Amino acid sequence: ERGYRPISYVDQMAIHLSLNGNMILKDSDEGRRQSIKLSTALSFLSSEKAPLETSAVTSGEAEIKEEESTGDTQTEGSRTAEVTEAAEAEEAEEAEEPPRLRVKEKKLANQFNFIERASRTLNNPMRDRACQSEPTPCESFSATANPWEIYDAYVEELQKMERSKAKEKPKAQIAKREEEKKGRKLNSLESQSDDRTKISKTAKIMERVVNQNIFDDIAQDFKYFEDASDEYRDQKGTLLPLWKFQHDKTERLAVTAISWNPKYEDLFAVGHGSYDFMKQGQGMLLLYTLKNPSFPEYVFSSESGVMCLDFHNDHPYLMAVGFYDGNVAIYNLKKATSQPSYKSSAKSGKHTEPVWQVKWQKDDMENNLNFFSVSSDGRIVSWTLVKNELVHTDVIKLSVEGTTMKGPEGLQLQTLGCGTSFDFHKKIDYLFLVGTEEGKIYKCSKCYSSQFLDVFEAHHMAVDSVSWNPYHLKVFISCSSDWTVKIWDHTVKTPMFVYDLNSAVGDVAWAPYSSTVFAAVTTNGKAHVFDLSINKYEALCTQLVVAKKKNKITHIQFNPVYPIVIIGDEQGHVTSLKLSPNLRKMPK
């Protein structure tokens, strides 16, 4: 009806636990009835057991009757003058005695709470005397429960316990000795591991020192060299090659993802896999540092190819990784293990197609870690780490317009879109963009799971990358295999700038130091750097980075602090290049 209906009454109370008890309030009617019943039962029991009880204990009813009778004699003595001597003696005795508290309700006597002569002295009397003595309350209660039998049973039990303790003593001593031996072994192992860590640390420092000596000229260029010829290039610039990072095990694996660590500016992660459907196999995840270009700091291998990765901003030791087989995982660099700390599965809702991009987001309301993933299966999924388990929530499903087909029995079958890339707005938390294999870009919200905020007819082929500008809140950039890079205002359906780079564009990235500088890489092995504040029509630098014809560039990333970029290719190599002064002019 699309309207609110008034509801007369809503029951707000929810009973979580209900138990029937056996306690009653004293002041209630039921409590008073129970107390009356109890007092009558006590009076009945005391009247029956009067001959068995001692002279010190008297029943409540007898006291009350006595008091009533004495009260009657007193009243009669005041009325009549003739009083017997026995009554006067009784009255005198009562006057001399202190007033006793009147107990209306008498407690049930414990049948086992008795005192026997044998328990009053350490030297127990002979058993035949104890048996010949007068019957005790215990014997009157039960003829079979002889106190000496109970005593013998306790003594026998005590002796058994002492024997078992005597047997256990040597066992405990042996166990203590074994524990001491184990402790010594553990201490020795710990000392060995400490020694190994110390040696590994010193070896790592020595390796870095040796590498710095080997690549001293590159280190000097990285730190101090500024290309003076930029003054004569008419505002154009160059890229100076620095270190080249490669590993023996990743020679046949393409660089499928690159990401700089947000805390350690010299550390970056490289994902290795394959974009070829027919050449799928194992993947690798490597972490390099600029201080040691010869060997990676961390090496992780995976059963499926790594397609994407992302570092957490607040926890830089956590990495979210997406795989070709549709799984996502979280790696913890603090843990000394080659396996991911958390990984999705078919049971926990993994993707059915390759995961093309993952992005960390802010923690949820309960401070649980949260990241998003996009895949060719058309699902954008939110993954939350709850109680050491990845829990998925489908945020939105991409659908292709005009592809609704009629299935059997009149069912409507809709083709799902294939997501290839996405990016979240830097300020507006709920807003994000999704690039698809069909060339469209969807503007989506986390709040709406069934519809898009806007659709951009962006490219004719797959959108390889989409990224919001870090400074201008309305601007985003996209690149595609249709050879073009386009810059958009998300409030306008048509692009502001279109650049044709004469080859399929693999990746595009905004510079962290300026809102007008961006770089793109193409499959023909070239890197292009633009600065819109200087030239809106052409690149300031177009440079061949990869020489081999069969090799293609796949990804590019700016360092957040240093004036360098890293570029990955299909041969598994990562090349670092320094931007010349004309390419890194700061805005006014």
Side-chain angles (χ1 to χ4, degrees):
E1 293 176 6
R2 297 188 178 182
Y4 292 100
R5 280 188 174 182
I7 297 170
S8 59
Y9 171 72
V10 179
D11 188 9
Q12 301 289 350
M13 186 176 73
I15 299 169
H16 296 289
L17 182 65
S18 176
L19 290 173
N20 293 325
N22 56 2
M23 301 186 77
I24 303 165
L25 284 170
K26 281 185 177 180
D27 299 335
S28 63
D29 295 336
E30 183 64 25
R32 290 193 190 99
R33 284 193 219 106
Q34 291 279 358
S35 62
I36 292 162
K37 284 181 182 178
L38 184 62
S39 60
T40 53
L42 286 170
S43 62
F44 178 72
L45 284 168
S46 60
S47 64
E48 274 191 349
K49 294 180 182 179
L52 293 174
E53 291 184 355
T54 60
S55 60
V57 182
T58 58
S59 67
E61 283 186 4
E63 279 184 6
I64 293 161
K65 283 180 183 179
E66 242 179 66
E67 285 168 3
E68 285 176 358
S69 63
T70 53
D72 292 339
T73 54
Q74 283 177 3
T75 51
E76 284 173 8
S78 62
R79 289 176 187 174
T80 61
E82 294 177 359
V83 180
T84 59
E85 291 177 1
E88 285 177 358
E90 284 176 5
E91 284 176 7
E93 283 175 5
E94 281 182 3
E96 287 174 2
E97 287 179 0
R100 290 190 298 176
L101 292 168
R102 294 183 182 181
V103 182
K104 289 184 180 179
E105 294 180 8
K106 179 182 162 294
K107 291 182 181 177
L108 267 171
N110 188 353
Q111 299 293 342
F112 294 96
N113 189 11
F114 67 95
I115 298 169
E116 194 182 8
R117 282 176 294 173
S119 65
R120 291 185 183 177
T121 175
L122 293 172
N123 302 320
N124 289 331
M126 298 298 291
R127 298 196 180 207
D128 54 348
R129 288 182 191 173
C131 295
Q132 286 169 9
S133 61
E134 292 181 2
T136 60
C138 179
E139 287 169 354
S140 65
F141 174 72
S142 173
T144 56
N146 191 347
W148 284 110
E149 290 176 8
I150 298 167
Y151 176 79
D152 290 341
Y154 275 110
V155 170
E156 193 176 345
E157 186 68 24
L158 187 65
Q159 288 173 355
K160 281 182 183 177
M161 287 170 69
E162 286 175 354
R163 284 185 213 128
S164 62
K165 282 180 182 178
K167 287 178 182 177
E168 285 174 1
K169 273 185 181 179
K171 289 181 182 177
Q173 288 174 358
I174 293 163
K176 274 186 181 180
R177 287 170 191 167
E178 288 178 356
E179 283 179 5
E180 285 174 2
K181 286 179 183 178
K182 284 180 182 177
R184 286 170 192 165
K185 285 180 182 178
L186 287 170
N187 289 330
S188 63
L189 287 170
E190 284 174 3
S191 61
Q192 285 176 9
S193 64
D194 290 341
D195 294 338
R196 282 174 189 167
T197 52
K198 286 176 183 176
I199 291 166
S200 64
K201 280 183 180 179
T202 52
K204 190 176 282 188
I205 292 165
M206 286 303 299
E207 186 182 15
R208 289 182 179 183
V209 169
V210 170
N211 274 294
Q212 193 170 353
N213 290 336
I214 293 168
F215 303 106
D216 182 57
D217 52 343
I218 296 174
Q220 295 293 331
D221 289 345
F222 163 71
K223 202 158 189 180
Y224 303 111
F225 179 74
E226 300 295 347
D227 195 352
S229 60
D230 268 19
E231 295 178 11
Y232 311 103
R233 287 204 179 100
D234 192 22
Q235 294 185 333
K236 294 205 172 183
T238 57
L239 296 170
L240 176 68
L242 297 175
W243 300 282
K244 195 171 186 178
F245 302 87
Q246 59 188 42
H247 189 52
D248 298 338
K249 294 181 180 179
T250 59
E251 282 184 357
R252 295 183 182 179
L253 296 173
V255 174
T256 52
I258 298 175
S259 180
W260 287 98
N261 190 285
K263 186 177 180 182
Y264 303 100
E265 293 87 4
D266 61 300
L267 188 70
F268 63 93
V270 183
H272 291 273
S274 176
Y275 288 117
D276 192 343
F277 174 76
M278 300 301 292
K279 294 180 180 178
Q280 288 303 317
Q282 287 188 341
M284 296 285 288
L285 178 62
L286 307 179
L287 277 88
Y288 290 99
T289 175
L290 300 178
K291 297 171 183 175
N292 183 10
S294 62
F295 198 81
E297 295 288 302
Y298 298 90
V299 179
F300 301 99
S301 60
S302 59
E303 295 176 0
S304 180
V306 176
M307 293 280 98
C308 52
L309 58 91
D310 190 34
F311 279 106
H312 198 287
N313 275 330
D314 300 327
H315 309 288
Y317 53 88
L318 292 178
M319 273 194 305
V321 180
F323 298 98
Y324 193 87
D325 62 0
N327 276 315
V328 293
I330 296 175
Y331 283 85
N332 190 344
L333 300 181
K334 284 186 175 181
K335 293 185 178 178
T337 175
S338 60
Q339 297 302 316
S341 300
Y342 313 100
K343 193 175 181 180
S344 64
S345 60
K347 191 177 179 181
S348 63
K350 81 176 186 75
H351 291 282
T352 55
E353 296 286 335
V355 182
W356 294 114
Q357 202 159 359
V358 289
K359 288 274 185 184
W360 285 102
Q361 287 297 292
K362 290 179 182 177
D363 296 352
D364 66 359
M365 299 291 284
E366 297 175 359
N367 293 325
N368 294 317
L369 295 173
N370 178 36
F371 69 93
F372 282 66
S373 63
V374 64
S375 170
S376 298
D377 62 2
R379 293 163 59 211
I380 287 96
V381 180
S382 170
W383 299 91
T384 309
L385 188 61
V386 181
K387 294 180 180 177
N388 296 329
E389 187 180 356
L390 282 174
V391 179
H392 83 286
T393 307
D394 285 1
V395 177
I396 200 165
K397 287 186 178 179
L398 303 173
S399 58
V400 182
E401 292 179 3
T403 57
T404 306
M405 299 169 62
K406 284 188 178 180
E409 300 179 2
L411 292 172
Q412 296 289 325
L413 301 175
Q414 196 168 22
T415 307
L416 291 174
C418 300
T420 54
S421 59
F422 70 157
D423 193 29
F424 289 86
H425 199 277
K426 303 296 185 284
K427 298 291 182 183
I428 306 169
D429 188 48
Y430 61 85
L431 191 65
F432 64 97
L433 299 165
V434 182
T436 61
E437 208 169 285
E438 298 82 40
K440 293 180 181 179
I441 295 175
Y442 296 98
K443 185 167 73 172
C444 308
S445 170
K446 293 179 187 177
C447 306
Y448 302 105
S449 59
S450 58
Q451 61 185 22
F452 311 116
L453 300 180
D454 211 343
V455 181
F456 300 91
E457 299 288 341
H459 296 276
H460 301 293
M461 294 180 73
V463 179
D464 292 322
S465 179
V466 61
S467 178
W468 288 99
N469 190 290
Y471 297 99
H472 200 296
L473 301 181
K474 288 185 178 180
V475 175
F476 69 90
I477 194 168
S478 64
C479 70
S480 169
S481 301
D482 64 358
W483 298 11
T484 60
V485 173
K486 296 183 181 182
I487 298 174
W488 306 77
D489 184 329
H490 78 88
T491 58
V492 183
K493 284 288 191 83
T494 55
M496 295 189 292
F497 297 96
V498 179
Y499 299 100
D500 190 340
L501 302 183
N502 298 321
S503 185
V505 185
D507 196 10
V508 68
W510 290 105
Y513 52 84
S514 175
S515 61
T516 57
V517 178
F518 67 91
V521 289
T522 50
T523 53
N524 60 358
K526 290 181 180 180
H528 309 262
V529 183
F530 291 80
D531 190 344
L532 303 179
S533 64
I534 296 171
N535 194 336
K536 297 178 183 177
Y537 307 103
E538 291 180 352
L540 298 185
C541 174
T542 300
Q543 188 169 316
L544 190 69
V545 178
V546 178
K548 293 179 182 178
K549 291 182 179 179
K550 291 182 180 180
N551 201 358
K552 297 176 183 177
I553 299 178
T554 55
H555 286 279
I556 185 169
Q557 279 290 320
F558 282 87
N559 186 285
V561 177
Y562 305 121
I564 61 169
V565 292
I566 48 173
I567 292 172
D569 57 39
E570 280 195 341
Q571 297 293 328
H573 303 153
V574 178
T575 309
S576 59
L577 302 106
K578 186 175 182 179
L579 300 160
S580 68
N582 280 352
L583 300 180
R584 49 187 168 91
K585 286 183 179 177
M586 299 295 288
K588 293 179 182 178

